[in-house]
Amino acid sequence: MDLGTDITAIIIISVCLLPFIFIARSRKKREKKMLASLEEIAKENNCTVNDYDINADFIIGIDHKQNQVFYYKSEEGVINQGAVNLTGIKKCKIATHTQTINAKNRKEYVVKGLELKFIPRYNQDPEVSFTVYDSDLKMQLTGELQLAKKWETLINKKLQHFN
């Protein structure tokens, strides 16, 4: 190969890689911003984030010492955030919203939404929920169900110490 061919190959490879580099940088920047937002929610509640998970449009975290769960979601310019003190919670469960579709000789169920619901210990306290997935805002699930199951398990294990 001559120098001209080598330079052409380098240019072609660089042009092909640039979109992936920009996407990765953009994702890292978005994740950093979401973590900063979650840490701000924790700080407002005199807590720190010890453990967290990030999905495409939301982040959930916990302060194990203070027993508080934090949530931040930004989608299409709408920000949804919250904090839950687990000492007032009896149970955490996944609420799945489905739609039934009649297909050829069978019914199919399509997930329309997922929420992590926090059931209060006392009936007079309000139920709190964090939206994990909404089909009106996002076409398909991309790991939200697995993440919701992970956090449902983690939170319920933590709740066993209070109940």
Side-chain angles (χ1 to χ4, degrees):
M1 289 173 91
D2 65 14
L3 185 61
T5 306
D6 289 344
I7 291 174
T8 303
I10 291 170
I11 291 172
I12 291 171
I13 291 170
S14 298
V15 168
C16 292
L17 289 178
L18 279 176
F20 296 105
I21 293 168
F22 287 131
I23 289 169
R25 278 188 180 169
S26 175
R27 189 185 79 226
K28 279 285 191 197
K29 187 177 178 181
R30 183 179 40 51
E31 287 177 357
K32 195 173 184 179
K33 184 178 176 184
M34 286 175 36
L35 180 57
S37 297
L38 192 74
E39 288 173 336
E40 184 62 33
I41 296 165
K43 186 177 175 184
E44 290 169 4
N45 289 278
N46 298 315
C47 297
T48 56
V49 177
N50 305 122
D51 193 10
Y52 67 91
D53 278 307
I54 298 177
N55 192 281
D57 60 359
F58 78 93
I59 182 170
I60 186 167
I62 190 167
D63 181 325
H64 290 290
K65 193 173 181 182
Q66 299 292 333
N67 297 310
Q68 292 221 26
V69 177
F70 312 101
Y71 168 84
Y72 177 86
K73 182 177 179 96
S74 177
E75 195 163 51
E76 295 187 0
V78 177
I79 294 174
N80 192 348
Q81 62 186 29
V84 174
N85 187 332
L86 295 179
T87 57
I89 300 299
K90 177 172 52 175
K91 181 180 179 182
C92 177
K93 68 178 186 175
I94 297 173
T96 306
H97 308 286
T98 59
Q99 179 180 7
T100 306
I101 297 175
N102 291 321
K104 294 180 182 178
N105 301 326
R106 68 180 193 276
K107 289 184 179 182
E108 291 186 13
Y109 300 94
V110 177
V111 176
K112 299 296 284 177
L114 288 172
E115 294 177 322
L116 268 180
K117 285 194 176 250
F118 296 87
I119 311 303
R121 187 179 302 273
Y122 306 105
N123 291 337
Q124 70 269 18
D125 292 339
E127 192 175 90
V128 177
S129 63
F130 296 158
T131 301
V132 176
Y133 170 74
D134 183 348
S135 66
D136 291 335
L137 300 173
K138 196 171 178 187
M139 294 278 292
Q140 65 185 43
L141 289 163
T142 54
E144 290 88 350
L145 182 58
Q146 293 82 355
L147 204 58
K149 285 181 180 180
K150 174 186 175 183
W151 280 87
E152 176 190 42
T153 301
L154 186 146
I155 291 165
N156 283 326
K157 280 183 181 176
K158 201 135 188 65
L159 291 173
Q160 288 175 351
H161 298 289
F162 306 129
N163 297 328

